[in-house]
Amino acid sequence: MQSGKILVAKQEGTYVLKFCGDVRLTLCSALDQFLETMLTDPDFTTVLIDLTETDGIDSTSLGLLAKISVRMQQKHRLLPTILSVKDDITRILMSMGFDKVFLLIREANTETAGMHELPLSQCSEDEMRTTVLDAHKILMNLNDQNKLVFKDLVASLEGCAPEARKH
């Protein structure tokens, strides 16, 4: 499995995020920072998330994608679009309830011209834990099944939070 990378591009308020290879926790800090910039961009109109070259994606990355949908619905009353042509990736999306919070397109032919790779960013262990915790809380709020799947992980992460360790 190819190690992961995220390509990004913007044109006239439309952002494109292309996840390539195995997209895991190591990319999440950079992705979370980029999402904050993207979602607060005054020119932002929509986002297309291309998973056509994604080999694997972890739950933290899925939680950050869910964050995009939640924020877009709050601010713009729009659903973002996900392109997914691989059955295993689409199955994961469906199991997480993404068909309710994204427009899912199962066929695509996209170009990477004009895209650049999102650079990795350094973050502390506490910042990483916060990103992972927030991403999973967002996933839990998508449906009851996700609540059951991630409740123990969220409880564990909340127990590891710096403020919890002080008591």
Side-chain angles (χ1 to χ4, degrees):
M1 199 174 286
Q2 166 188 336
S3 68
K5 65 180 177 181
I6 301 171
L7 303 176
V8 296
K10 174 189 171 188
Q11 183 173 0
E12 297 178 14
T14 297
Y15 283 82
V16 178
L17 298 147
K18 185 175 186 86
F19 287 34
C20 303
D22 191 28
V23 180
R24 300 280 167 197
L25 179 66
T26 54
L27 299 170
C28 288
S29 180
L31 177 59
D32 194 35
Q33 290 172 12
F34 179 80
L35 295 181
E36 285 305 316
T37 301
M38 178 185 79
L39 292 167
T40 56
D41 178 351
D43 296 330
F44 175 85
T45 56
T46 193
V47 63
L48 170 72
I49 301 147
D50 182 347
L51 302 181
T52 59
E53 293 182 27
T54 305
D55 296 323
I57 186 166
D58 70 2
S59 56
T60 303
S61 302
L62 289 168
L64 291 175
L65 292 181
K67 177 181 183 176
I68 294 171
S69 181
V70 169
R71 298 270 301 274
M72 270 189 69
Q73 289 178 62
Q74 289 170 343
K75 188 172 181 181
H76 301 284
R77 305 218 186 289
L78 296 172
L79 294 178
T81 301
I82 290 183
L83 304 176
S84 180
V85 297
K86 295 181 179 177
D87 289 339
D88 56 338
I89 298 295
T90 302
R91 205 171 9 264
I92 291 168
L93 298 174
M94 299 295 279
S95 74
M96 291 290 131
F98 276 37
D99 56 321
K100 306 285 190 277
V101 295
F102 286 92
L103 299 173
L104 281 175
I105 298 176
R106 304 238 15 222
E107 295 179 20
N109 184 11
T110 58
E111 295 290 323
T112 57
M115 299 187 87
H116 66 278
E117 187 172 345
L118 191 62
L120 291 177
S121 65
Q122 300 296 318
C123 68
S124 70
E125 185 178 325
D126 286 338
E127 290 169 327
M128 181 65 72
R129 185 181 304 103
T130 299
T131 298
V132 172
L133 180 61
D134 291 346
H136 285 86
K137 283 181 175 181
I138 292 169
L139 281 177
M140 286 178 67
N141 288 326
L142 293 183
N143 61 44
D144 290 337
Q145 179 62 32
N146 290 357
K147 281 186 180 103
L148 292 173
V149 170
F150 296 115
K151 71 177 182 174
D152 291 339
L153 174 62
V154 167
S156 176
L157 289 169
E158 287 177 331
C160 292
E163 58 274 2
R165 290 192 303 249
K166 291 179 186 173
H167 300 288

PDB file of all heavy atoms in Angstrom, residues 3-8 20 22-34 61 116-123 128:
ATOM      1  N   SER A   3       2.217   4.891   0.732  1.00  0.00           N
ATOM      2  CA  SER A   3       2.021   5.827   1.835  1.00  0.00           C
ATOM      3  C   SER A   3       1.192   6.998   1.330  1.00  0.00           C
ATOM      4  O   SER A   3       1.190   7.321   0.151  1.00  0.00           O
ATOM      5  CB  SER A   3       3.353   6.292   2.410  1.00  0.00           C
ATOM      6  OG  SER A   3       4.024   7.098   1.478  1.00  0.00           O
ATOM      7  N   GLY A   4       0.473   7.612   2.234  1.00  0.00           N
ATOM      8  CA  GLY A   4      -0.516   8.596   1.838  1.00  0.00           C
ATOM      9  C   GLY A   4       0.009   9.993   1.610  1.00  0.00           C
ATOM     10  O   GLY A   4       1.046  10.394   2.131  1.00  0.00           O
ATOM     11  N   LYS A   5      -0.757  10.698   0.803  1.00  0.00           N
ATOM     12  CA  LYS A   5      -0.534  12.126   0.614  1.00  0.00           C
ATOM     13  C   LYS A   5      -1.876  12.743   0.239  1.00  0.00           C
ATOM     14  O   LYS A   5      -2.795  12.057  -0.210  1.00  0.00           O
ATOM     15  CB  LYS A   5       0.535  12.405  -0.444  1.00  0.00           C
ATOM     16  CG  LYS A   5       0.168  11.968  -1.845  1.00  0.00           C
ATOM     17  CD  LYS A   5       1.302  12.284  -2.807  1.00  0.00           C
ATOM     18  CE  LYS A   5       0.971  11.770  -4.202  1.00  0.00           C
ATOM     19  NZ  LYS A   5       2.067  12.049  -5.143  1.00  0.00           N
ATOM     20  N   ILE A   6      -1.961  14.036   0.439  1.00  0.00           N
ATOM     21  CA  ILE A   6      -3.171  14.768   0.102  1.00  0.00           C
ATOM     22  C   ILE A   6      -2.784  15.895  -0.844  1.00  0.00           C
ATOM     23  O   ILE A   6      -1.920  16.719  -0.518  1.00  0.00           O
ATOM     24  CB  ILE A   6      -3.858  15.343   1.360  1.00  0.00           C
ATOM     25  CG1 ILE A   6      -4.226  14.202   2.328  1.00  0.00           C
ATOM     26  CG2 ILE A   6      -5.104  16.148   0.967  1.00  0.00           C
ATOM     27  CD1 ILE A   6      -4.719  14.684   3.678  1.00  0.00           C
ATOM     28  N   LEU A   7      -3.404  15.919  -2.004  1.00  0.00           N
ATOM     29  CA  LEU A   7      -3.197  16.987  -2.971  1.00  0.00           C
ATOM     30  C   LEU A   7      -4.349  17.972  -2.841  1.00  0.00           C
ATOM     31  O   LEU A   7      -5.493  17.572  -2.611  1.00  0.00           O
ATOM     32  CB  LEU A   7      -3.145  16.430  -4.397  1.00  0.00           C
ATOM     33  CG  LEU A   7      -2.092  15.361  -4.669  1.00  0.00           C
ATOM     34  CD1 LEU A   7      -2.233  14.829  -6.093  1.00  0.00           C
ATOM     35  CD2 LEU A   7      -0.698  15.890  -4.423  1.00  0.00           C
ATOM     36  N   VAL A   8      -4.049  19.257  -2.992  1.00  0.00           N
ATOM     37  CA  VAL A   8      -5.084  20.281  -2.858  1.00  0.00           C
ATOM     38  C   VAL A   8      -4.979  21.286  -4.003  1.00  0.00           C
ATOM     39  O   VAL A   8      -3.906  21.515  -4.549  1.00  0.00           O
ATOM     40  CB  VAL A   8      -4.981  21.027  -1.501  1.00  0.00           C
ATOM     41  CG1 VAL A   8      -5.247  20.078  -0.347  1.00  0.00           C
ATOM     42  CG2 VAL A   8      -3.637  21.694  -1.330  1.00  0.00           C
ATOM     43  N   CYS A  20      -4.535  10.326  -1.766  1.00  0.00           N
ATOM     44  CA  CYS A  20      -3.819   9.298  -2.525  1.00  0.00           C
ATOM     45  C   CYS A  20      -3.147   8.319  -1.573  1.00  0.00           C
ATOM     46  O   CYS A  20      -2.549   8.731  -0.573  1.00  0.00           O
ATOM     47  CB  CYS A  20      -2.760   9.939  -3.420  1.00  0.00           C
ATOM     48  SG  CYS A  20      -3.406  11.163  -4.575  1.00  0.00           S
ATOM     49  N   ASP A  22      -2.522   5.500   1.242  1.00  0.00           N
ATOM     50  CA  ASP A  22      -3.047   5.155   2.555  1.00  0.00           C
ATOM     51  C   ASP A  22      -3.051   6.414   3.426  1.00  0.00           C
ATOM     52  O   ASP A  22      -2.003   6.843   3.914  1.00  0.00           O
ATOM     53  CB  ASP A  22      -2.164   4.058   3.164  1.00  0.00           C
ATOM     54  CG  ASP A  22      -2.760   3.439   4.401  1.00  0.00           C
ATOM     55  OD1 ASP A  22      -4.005   3.416   4.523  1.00  0.00           O
ATOM     56  OD2 ASP A  22      -1.990   2.959   5.257  1.00  0.00           O
ATOM     57  N   VAL A  23      -4.205   7.008   3.606  1.00  0.00           N
ATOM     58  CA  VAL A  23      -4.334   8.281   4.325  1.00  0.00           C
ATOM     59  C   VAL A  23      -4.617   7.981   5.795  1.00  0.00           C
ATOM     60  O   VAL A  23      -5.661   7.431   6.135  1.00  0.00           O
ATOM     61  CB  VAL A  23      -5.440   9.160   3.702  1.00  0.00           C
ATOM     62  CG1 VAL A  23      -5.565  10.476   4.450  1.00  0.00           C
ATOM     63  CG2 VAL A  23      -5.145   9.404   2.228  1.00  0.00           C
ATOM     64  N   ARG A  24      -3.653   8.356   6.627  1.00  0.00           N
ATOM     65  CA  ARG A  24      -3.694   8.001   8.046  1.00  0.00           C
ATOM     66  C   ARG A  24      -3.478   9.211   8.942  1.00  0.00           C
ATOM     67  O   ARG A  24      -3.273  10.327   8.493  1.00  0.00           O
ATOM     68  CB  ARG A  24      -2.613   6.953   8.351  1.00  0.00           C
ATOM     69  CG  ARG A  24      -2.760   5.672   7.584  1.00  0.00           C
ATOM     70  CD  ARG A  24      -3.786   4.797   8.224  1.00  0.00           C
ATOM     71  NE  ARG A  24      -4.154   3.705   7.312  1.00  0.00           N
ATOM     72  CZ  ARG A  24      -5.235   2.994   7.450  1.00  0.00           C
ATOM     73  NH1 ARG A  24      -6.071   3.229   8.432  1.00  0.00           N
ATOM     74  NH2 ARG A  24      -5.511   2.028   6.618  1.00  0.00           N
ATOM     75  N   LEU A  25      -3.427   8.917  10.203  1.00  0.00           N
ATOM     76  CA  LEU A  25      -3.258   9.899  11.277  1.00  0.00           C
ATOM     77  C   LEU A  25      -2.113  10.869  11.038  1.00  0.00           C
ATOM     78  O   LEU A  25      -2.223  12.038  11.373  1.00  0.00           O
ATOM     79  CB  LEU A  25      -3.047   9.135  12.590  1.00  0.00           C
ATOM     80  CG  LEU A  25      -2.817   9.939  13.845  1.00  0.00           C
ATOM     81  CD1 LEU A  25      -4.056  10.731  14.198  1.00  0.00           C
ATOM     82  CD2 LEU A  25      -2.446   9.014  14.982  1.00  0.00           C
ATOM     83  N   THR A  26      -1.027  10.416  10.449  1.00  0.00           N
ATOM     84  CA  THR A  26       0.135  11.285  10.258  1.00  0.00           C
ATOM     85  C   THR A  26      -0.179  12.503   9.396  1.00  0.00           C
ATOM     86  O   THR A  26       0.506  13.517   9.485  1.00  0.00           O
ATOM     87  CB  THR A  26       1.301  10.508   9.617  1.00  0.00           C
ATOM     88  OG1 THR A  26       0.836   9.885   8.420  1.00  0.00           O
ATOM     89  CG2 THR A  26       1.833   9.451  10.565  1.00  0.00           C
ATOM     90  N   LEU A  27      -1.210  12.430   8.572  1.00  0.00           N
ATOM     91  CA  LEU A  27      -1.590  13.551   7.711  1.00  0.00           C
ATOM     92  C   LEU A  27      -2.673  14.437   8.340  1.00  0.00           C
ATOM     93  O   LEU A  27      -2.973  15.507   7.815  1.00  0.00           O
ATOM     94  CB  LEU A  27      -2.099  13.027   6.356  1.00  0.00           C
ATOM     95  CG  LEU A  27      -1.105  12.229   5.529  1.00  0.00           C
ATOM     96  CD1 LEU A  27      -1.803  11.569   4.347  1.00  0.00           C
ATOM     97  CD2 LEU A  27       0.023  13.115   5.064  1.00  0.00           C
ATOM     98  N   CYS A  28      -3.242  13.999   9.436  1.00  0.00           N
ATOM     99  CA  CYS A  28      -4.432  14.663   9.970  1.00  0.00           C
ATOM    100  C   CYS A  28      -4.192  16.058  10.533  1.00  0.00           C
ATOM    101  O   CYS A  28      -5.050  16.923  10.421  1.00  0.00           O
ATOM    102  CB  CYS A  28      -5.111  13.774  11.003  1.00  0.00           C
ATOM    103  SG  CYS A  28      -5.929  12.378  10.191  1.00  0.00           S
ATOM    104  N   SER A  29      -3.055  16.291  11.139  1.00  0.00           N
ATOM    105  CA  SER A  29      -2.789  17.620  11.673  1.00  0.00           C
ATOM    106  C   SER A  29      -2.731  18.641  10.541  1.00  0.00           C
ATOM    107  O   SER A  29      -3.343  19.713  10.615  1.00  0.00           O
ATOM    108  CB  SER A  29      -1.491  17.621  12.471  1.00  0.00           C
ATOM    109  OG  SER A  29      -1.229  18.898  12.981  1.00  0.00           O
ATOM    110  N   ALA A  30      -2.001  18.304   9.489  1.00  0.00           N
ATOM    111  CA  ALA A  30      -1.921  19.203   8.329  1.00  0.00           C
ATOM    112  C   ALA A  30      -3.292  19.367   7.692  1.00  0.00           C
ATOM    113  O   ALA A  30      -3.686  20.477   7.315  1.00  0.00           O
ATOM    114  CB  ALA A  30      -0.923  18.663   7.311  1.00  0.00           C
ATOM    115  N   LEU A  31      -4.040  18.269   7.595  1.00  0.00           N
ATOM    116  CA  LEU A  31      -5.379  18.339   6.999  1.00  0.00           C
ATOM    117  C   LEU A  31      -6.301  19.207   7.842  1.00  0.00           C
ATOM    118  O   LEU A  31      -7.023  20.062   7.307  1.00  0.00           O
ATOM    119  CB  LEU A  31      -5.964  16.932   6.852  1.00  0.00           C
ATOM    120  CG  LEU A  31      -7.394  16.855   6.309  1.00  0.00           C
ATOM    121  CD1 LEU A  31      -7.505  17.502   4.931  1.00  0.00           C
ATOM    122  CD2 LEU A  31      -7.861  15.397   6.274  1.00  0.00           C
ATOM    123  N   ASP A  32      -6.272  19.040   9.150  1.00  0.00           N
ATOM    124  CA  ASP A  32      -7.138  19.830  10.025  1.00  0.00           C
ATOM    125  C   ASP A  32      -6.822  21.322   9.907  1.00  0.00           C
ATOM    126  O   ASP A  32      -7.725  22.153   9.826  1.00  0.00           O
ATOM    127  CB  ASP A  32      -6.994  19.349  11.470  1.00  0.00           C
ATOM    128  CG  ASP A  32      -8.093  19.881  12.379  1.00  0.00           C
ATOM    129  OD1 ASP A  32      -9.243  20.020  11.915  1.00  0.00           O
ATOM    130  OD2 ASP A  32      -7.808  20.145  13.557  1.00  0.00           O
ATOM    131  N   GLN A  33      -5.534  21.666   9.879  1.00  0.00           N
ATOM    132  CA  GLN A  33      -5.150  23.071   9.718  1.00  0.00           C
ATOM    133  C   GLN A  33      -5.614  23.613   8.366  1.00  0.00           C
ATOM    134  O   GLN A  33      -6.123  24.732   8.275  1.00  0.00           O
ATOM    135  CB  GLN A  33      -3.636  23.216   9.858  1.00  0.00           C
ATOM    136  CG  GLN A  33      -3.140  22.985  11.260  1.00  0.00           C
ATOM    137  CD  GLN A  33      -1.625  22.943  11.339  1.00  0.00           C
ATOM    138  OE1 GLN A  33      -0.917  23.301  10.407  1.00  0.00           O
ATOM    139  NE2 GLN A  33      -1.104  22.499  12.477  1.00  0.00           N
ATOM    140  N   PHE A  34      -5.461  22.810   7.321  1.00  0.00           N
ATOM    141  CA  PHE A  34      -5.888  23.233   5.989  1.00  0.00           C
ATOM    142  C   PHE A  34      -7.408  23.433   5.956  1.00  0.00           C
ATOM    143  O   PHE A  34      -7.895  24.410   5.372  1.00  0.00           O
ATOM    144  CB  PHE A  34      -5.463  22.211   4.924  1.00  0.00           C
ATOM    145  CG  PHE A  34      -5.908  22.596   3.543  1.00  0.00           C
ATOM    146  CD1 PHE A  34      -5.184  23.536   2.817  1.00  0.00           C
ATOM    147  CD2 PHE A  34      -7.046  22.051   2.983  1.00  0.00           C
ATOM    148  CE1 PHE A  34      -5.600  23.923   1.548  1.00  0.00           C
ATOM    149  CE2 PHE A  34      -7.475  22.429   1.718  1.00  0.00           C
ATOM    150  CZ  PHE A  34      -6.748  23.367   0.994  1.00  0.00           C
ATOM    151  N   SER A  61      -9.175  10.453   9.747  1.00  0.00           N
ATOM    152  CA  SER A  61      -9.325  11.140   8.458  1.00  0.00           C
ATOM    153  C   SER A  61     -10.798  11.226   8.069  1.00  0.00           C
ATOM    154  O   SER A  61     -11.258  12.260   7.572  1.00  0.00           O
ATOM    155  CB  SER A  61      -8.537  10.404   7.371  1.00  0.00           C
ATOM    156  OG  SER A  61      -7.175  10.321   7.714  1.00  0.00           O
ATOM    157  N   HIS A 116      -1.232  20.772  -5.613  1.00  0.00           N
ATOM    158  CA  HIS A 116       0.024  20.647  -4.891  1.00  0.00           C
ATOM    159  C   HIS A 116      -0.204  19.803  -3.644  1.00  0.00           C
ATOM    160  O   HIS A 116      -1.317  19.721  -3.135  1.00  0.00           O
ATOM    161  CB  HIS A 116       0.624  22.017  -4.548  1.00  0.00           C
ATOM    162  CG  HIS A 116      -0.207  22.805  -3.581  1.00  0.00           C
ATOM    163  ND1 HIS A 116      -1.295  23.556  -3.965  1.00  0.00           N
ATOM    164  CD2 HIS A 116      -0.116  22.947  -2.241  1.00  0.00           C
ATOM    165  CE1 HIS A 116      -1.837  24.126  -2.914  1.00  0.00           C
ATOM    166  NE2 HIS A 116      -1.146  23.782  -1.846  1.00  0.00           N
ATOM    167  N   GLU A 117       0.871  19.182  -3.189  1.00  0.00           N
ATOM    168  CA  GLU A 117       0.758  18.309  -2.035  1.00  0.00           C
ATOM    169  C   GLU A 117       0.679  19.128  -0.757  1.00  0.00           C
ATOM    170  O   GLU A 117       1.439  20.079  -0.560  1.00  0.00           O
ATOM    171  CB  GLU A 117       1.953  17.361  -1.973  1.00  0.00           C
ATOM    172  CG  GLU A 117       1.824  16.313  -0.891  1.00  0.00           C
ATOM    173  CD  GLU A 117       2.919  15.253  -0.942  1.00  0.00           C
ATOM    174  OE1 GLU A 117       3.623  15.159  -1.963  1.00  0.00           O
ATOM    175  OE2 GLU A 117       3.063  14.536   0.064  1.00  0.00           O
ATOM    176  N   LEU A 118      -0.243  18.741   0.107  1.00  0.00           N
ATOM    177  CA  LEU A 118      -0.378  19.375   1.410  1.00  0.00           C
ATOM    178  C   LEU A 118       0.805  18.930   2.266  1.00  0.00           C
ATOM    179  O   LEU A 118       1.007  17.741   2.497  1.00  0.00           O
ATOM    180  CB  LEU A 118      -1.691  18.934   2.050  1.00  0.00           C
ATOM    181  CG  LEU A 118      -2.171  19.645   3.289  1.00  0.00           C
ATOM    182  CD1 LEU A 118      -2.432  21.116   2.997  1.00  0.00           C
ATOM    183  CD2 LEU A 118      -3.433  18.990   3.816  1.00  0.00           C
ATOM    184  N   PRO A 119       1.646  19.869   2.711  1.00  0.00           N
ATOM    185  CA  PRO A 119       2.834  19.471   3.474  1.00  0.00           C
ATOM    186  C   PRO A 119       2.459  18.998   4.877  1.00  0.00           C
ATOM    187  O   PRO A 119       1.484  19.455   5.458  1.00  0.00           O
ATOM    188  CB  PRO A 119       3.658  20.760   3.536  1.00  0.00           C
ATOM    189  CG  PRO A 119       2.666  21.855   3.362  1.00  0.00           C
ATOM    190  CD  PRO A 119       1.540  21.298   2.530  1.00  0.00           C
ATOM    191  N   LEU A 120       3.249  18.063   5.384  1.00  0.00           N
ATOM    192  CA  LEU A 120       3.048  17.604   6.752  1.00  0.00           C
ATOM    193  C   LEU A 120       3.313  18.755   7.703  1.00  0.00           C
ATOM    194  O   LEU A 120       4.140  19.621   7.431  1.00  0.00           O
ATOM    195  CB  LEU A 120       4.007  16.453   7.073  1.00  0.00           C
ATOM    196  CG  LEU A 120       3.748  15.134   6.355  1.00  0.00           C
ATOM    197  CD1 LEU A 120       4.837  14.129   6.721  1.00  0.00           C
ATOM    198  CD2 LEU A 120       2.385  14.582   6.710  1.00  0.00           C
ATOM    199  N   SER A 121       2.616  18.766   8.813  1.00  0.00           N
ATOM    200  CA  SER A 121       2.874  19.807   9.807  1.00  0.00           C
ATOM    201  C   SER A 121       3.230  19.143  11.128  1.00  0.00           C
ATOM    202  O   SER A 121       2.794  18.034  11.419  1.00  0.00           O
ATOM    203  CB  SER A 121       1.658  20.722   9.967  1.00  0.00           C
ATOM    204  OG  SER A 121       0.575  20.012  10.500  1.00  0.00           O
ATOM    205  N   GLN A 122       4.026  19.822  11.895  1.00  0.00           N
ATOM    206  CA  GLN A 122       4.445  19.335  13.202  1.00  0.00           C
ATOM    207  C   GLN A 122       3.396  19.723  14.225  1.00  0.00           C
ATOM    208  O   GLN A 122       2.871  20.829  14.193  1.00  0.00           O
ATOM    209  CB  GLN A 122       5.793  19.946  13.590  1.00  0.00           C
ATOM    210  CG  GLN A 122       6.908  19.608  12.628  1.00  0.00           C
ATOM    211  CD  GLN A 122       7.197  18.118  12.597  1.00  0.00           C
ATOM    212  OE1 GLN A 122       7.227  17.462  13.626  1.00  0.00           O
ATOM    213  NE2 GLN A 122       7.398  17.589  11.404  1.00  0.00           N
ATOM    214  N   CYS A 123       3.109  18.808  15.123  1.00  0.00           N
ATOM    215  CA  CYS A 123       2.184  19.136  16.206  1.00  0.00           C
ATOM    216  C   CYS A 123       2.582  18.328  17.431  1.00  0.00           C
ATOM    217  O   CYS A 123       3.237  17.294  17.334  1.00  0.00           O
ATOM    218  CB  CYS A 123       0.743  18.872  15.807  1.00  0.00           C
ATOM    219  SG  CYS A 123       0.332  17.148  15.573  1.00  0.00           S
ATOM    220  N   MET A 128      -2.324  16.495  18.611  1.00  0.00           N
ATOM    221  CA  MET A 128      -2.726  15.327  17.840  1.00  0.00           C
ATOM    222  C   MET A 128      -3.905  14.629  18.503  1.00  0.00           C
ATOM    223  O   MET A 128      -4.874  14.253  17.852  1.00  0.00           O
ATOM    224  CB  MET A 128      -1.550  14.365  17.675  1.00  0.00           C
ATOM    225  CG  MET A 128      -1.887  13.132  16.854  1.00  0.00           C
ATOM    226  SD  MET A 128      -2.281  13.490  15.134  1.00  0.00           S
ATOM    227  CE  MET A 128      -0.664  13.892  14.531  1.00  0.00           C
TER     228      MET A 128
END
